[in-house]
Amino acid sequence: MNSVTSLLRLHQHRAWVNEKLLSAAATLDEEQIRQPFAIGQGSVWNTLLHLLGAEYVWLETILGNENPRMPGDLPDAIVGNQLADDGIQTLERLKQVWGELDLRWSSYLEHLTEADLVKPITKVSTSSHYGERRTTALMDILLHVCTHAHYTAAQMVNMLRQLGVQDLPDPMLITLARNESS
């Protein structure tokens, strides 16, 4: 197994977990989905927007846009590392936008080669070292997108638990693997 195969598996897992999170969010009413929490991005809604935004921004960066903004971002900065949700107001719209983004990710990843993984990618930072141009190897960005998604998914599962959701999504990769083999 080479590095590309492992990265593709991690991105498959990321997309699978996103589907699970969106399905769980669909069981909530509007008040629950926006209920404030003192963890993660502060609500299920903000967490979903944050996951979508991170995936969008990093794909745009990989494709050559050093200073990407998610449609709906505040013009000057992402305040508190949160996305403005001007353009996405409903869960249905969020699913639609995310589905389109997943297709773009799939298209990009299907052409990924081992040689691509060392390619330097430059992005203007919107978090630590705000405003600085930072360069990172593509492999590290692709790993970051997955580990960030997994970390953030765990926060959302915690919020769902606190909201009383009985059928919590199981975001573990081993669960994906076992579901595929059964």
Side-chain angles (χ1 to χ4, degrees):
M1 179 181 301
N2 64 29
S3 297
V4 170
T5 303
S6 296
L7 284 167
L8 293 176
R9 182 62 168 170
L10 288 172
H11 280 271
Q12 177 191 20
H13 174 250
R14 173 189 53 78
W16 177 80
V17 170
N18 289 344
E19 283 183 34
K20 299 288 185 193
L21 296 176
L22 286 166
S23 293
T27 68
L28 303 174
D29 62 33
E30 188 64 23
E31 184 179 324
Q32 290 173 310
I33 204 167
R34 295 181 190 268
Q35 179 177 320
F37 286 95
I39 58 174
Q41 301 306 311
S43 71
V44 167
W45 181 251
N46 285 345
T47 300
L48 291 170
L49 287 176
H50 179 74
L51 281 167
L52 171 69
E55 291 178 17
Y56 175 88
V57 165
W58 281 114
L59 182 59
E60 285 294 309
T61 300
I62 290 167
L63 296 175
N65 181 353
E66 289 187 13
N67 198 12
R69 295 279 187 228
M70 178 74 185
D73 278 356
L74 297 172
D76 297 327
I78 299 177
V79 178
N81 204 23
Q82 302 235 351
L83 296 173
D85 59 349
D86 313 325
I88 302 173
Q89 295 292 324
T90 66
L91 193 57
E92 283 308 311
R93 178 71 177 132
L94 178 70
K95 287 179 187 179
Q96 177 189 3
V97 170
W98 217 327
E100 293 164 3
L101 180 60
D102 282 342
L103 291 175
R104 291 181 63 219
W105 267 106
S106 293
S107 177
Y108 174 78
L109 291 168
E110 74 185 28
H111 301 292
L112 189 64
T113 68
E114 228 21 71
D116 293 332
L117 298 179
V118 295
K119 179 181 171 186
I121 304 294
T122 301
K123 178 183 181 302
V124 176
S125 179
T126 56
S127 56
S128 60
H129 304 278
Y130 183 85
E132 291 181 22
R133 290 178 77 238
R134 310 287 287 189
T135 301
T136 310
L138 176 60
M139 181 170 177
D140 290 325
I141 291 171
L142 293 173
L143 287 169
H144 169 72
V145 169
C146 293
T147 58
H148 171 270
H150 200 74
Y151 174 82
T152 306
Q155 293 173 331
M156 184 165 155
V157 169
N158 190 353
M159 289 181 223
L160 293 168
R161 180 178 288 112
Q162 291 180 52
L163 287 167
V165 172
Q166 296 299 309
D167 190 18
L168 291 170
D170 179 353
M172 303 305 287
L173 189 138
I174 196 72
T175 304
L176 169 63
R178 289 173 178 159
N179 286 342
E180 290 172 335
S181 67
S182 56

